[in-house]
Amino acid sequence: MTTDVPAEHETRASRRALRDAAVPVDPSAAGARPRPVMTAATVVVALTLAAAAGSGRRVVEIVAIVVAGLAVSAGWPRLFGSRTPVGTSVVLAVTSLAVGAALLVQGEEPYLEHVPAAMALGVVAMCLHPLVQASAREQLAQTLTATALGVLTIGGGALFVSTVFLGGGGPVVVVCVALAVAALVDLVLERPGRTRWMIPAAMLAGGIAAVVVHLVVSGTLDAWPALLGVTGAGAAVALRRAMSQQPTVAGVPAAVAAGAASVLLVAPLVHLVARLPLA
């Protein structure tokens, strides 16, 4: 006597069987191939922002932020396995350009006055995207979540510009150099048996680098550079470690997006410290 099993149950059972039969993948091995690309992207973006901030020219800093945002928008959909990578990239690119325009039209405090409107434009485009592209409606919640995180990351990078003209560029230069140094330490420690020390070592290296850079630039020894270097490096390394576990990060655009995003992620922290009496 045979028992009919609904097709839905058969599909779930077959998927479960395939997952159980799959060969386990070592996360560190999966992330080994894109690590140099992520590190290179982090170093290039961080040093570019440091140079732009050190120049003292507002337009240069805005252009650097927009270019970093475009780098994120190009690879972000592939990083999260979006079914509509082109449409999602367009939404994030529109957000990046809108943020740049919002910063450009506001030449005095409050520098971020129009940035919320630029981010709102990105959110509107994100919501309209599934209406004009049918494939975007598949896995809608996942697509919207990933796109919203990209909009937030790109919009948060605008805080670098506000920090430059509030603190003379010092905090941005300090933290960006610290991020570049921490990224190199992170790559060196990507070895079996050393991964547990990656984040603590990167935070320590970031803190030391930040203090040294501030000492060279200003000639003074303060506590806030160490705070920026340690916390900024820790946040950036943690994001790259999380992204490197995704199989989709093996592609170059996705790895570049992860590296650039790890730098832009630190902007709100830098802005906060620059607004405090410490800096």
Side-chain angles (χ1 to χ4, degrees):
M1 180 178 179
T2 60
T3 303
D4 293 334
V5 181
E8 182 182 0
H9 292 175
E10 288 181 353
T11 303
R12 291 177 179 174
S14 63
R15 290 175 180 173
R16 190 180 302 111
L18 288 174
R19 288 196 301 266
D20 294 339
V23 178
V25 179
D26 182 10
S28 61
R33 191 168 68 172
R35 295 291 294 177
V37 178
M38 273 198 296
T39 301
T42 302
V43 172
V44 169
V45 172
L47 294 183
T48 299
L49 288 175
S55 71
R57 300 181 61 182
R58 182 167 168 270
V59 174
V60 174
E61 179 69 8
I62 293 174
V63 170
I65 291 295
V66 171
V67 171
L70 292 176
V72 172
S73 66
W76 196 259
R78 293 169 177 80
L79 183 61
F80 286 92
S82 172
R83 292 179 179 270
T84 55
V86 175
T88 304
S89 291
V90 169
V91 171
L92 296 179
V94 168
T95 303
S96 181
L97 295 174
V99 167
L103 292 170
L104 193 60
V105 299
Q106 184 66 24
E108 57 185 14
E109 283 277 16
Y111 294 110
L112 304 176
E113 182 177 9
H114 302 297
V115 171
M119 296 181 66
L121 178 62
V123 172
V124 171
M126 175 187 73
C127 296
L128 291 178
H129 178 213
L131 299 179
V132 299
Q133 191 170 8
S135 55
R137 294 193 286 273
E138 300 178 15
Q139 298 183 350
L140 181 60
Q142 178 181 349
T143 300
L144 291 179
T145 301
T147 308
L149 182 59
V151 170
L152 183 63
T153 302
I154 293 172
L159 293 170
F160 272 136
V161 173
S162 176
T163 304
V164 166
F165 294 95
L166 180 68
V172 178
V173 174
V174 165
V175 78
C176 285
V177 174
L179 292 179
V181 172
L184 295 175
V185 172
D186 182 31
L187 180 63
V188 170
L189 292 180
E190 181 68 21
R191 300 289 185 275
R194 300 181 186 176
T195 54
R196 71 180 65 183
W197 301 106
M198 289 176 65
I199 294 181
M203 293 174 69
L204 177 61
I208 294 175
V211 171
V212 171
V213 170
H214 179 66
L215 182 62
V216 170
V217 171
S218 67
T220 60
L221 190 63
D222 297 315
W224 66 264
L227 173 64
L228 270 182
V230 169
T231 55
V237 172
L239 177 65
R240 289 195 302 274
R241 287 292 295 164
M243 296 300 185
S244 66
Q245 309 307 311
Q246 303 296 324
T248 52
V249 81
V252 172
V256 170
S262 70
V263 178
L264 296 181
L265 178 74
V266 183
L269 174 65
V270 182
H271 179 79
L272 174 63
V273 173
R275 292 275 178 177
L276 295 175
L278 307 173

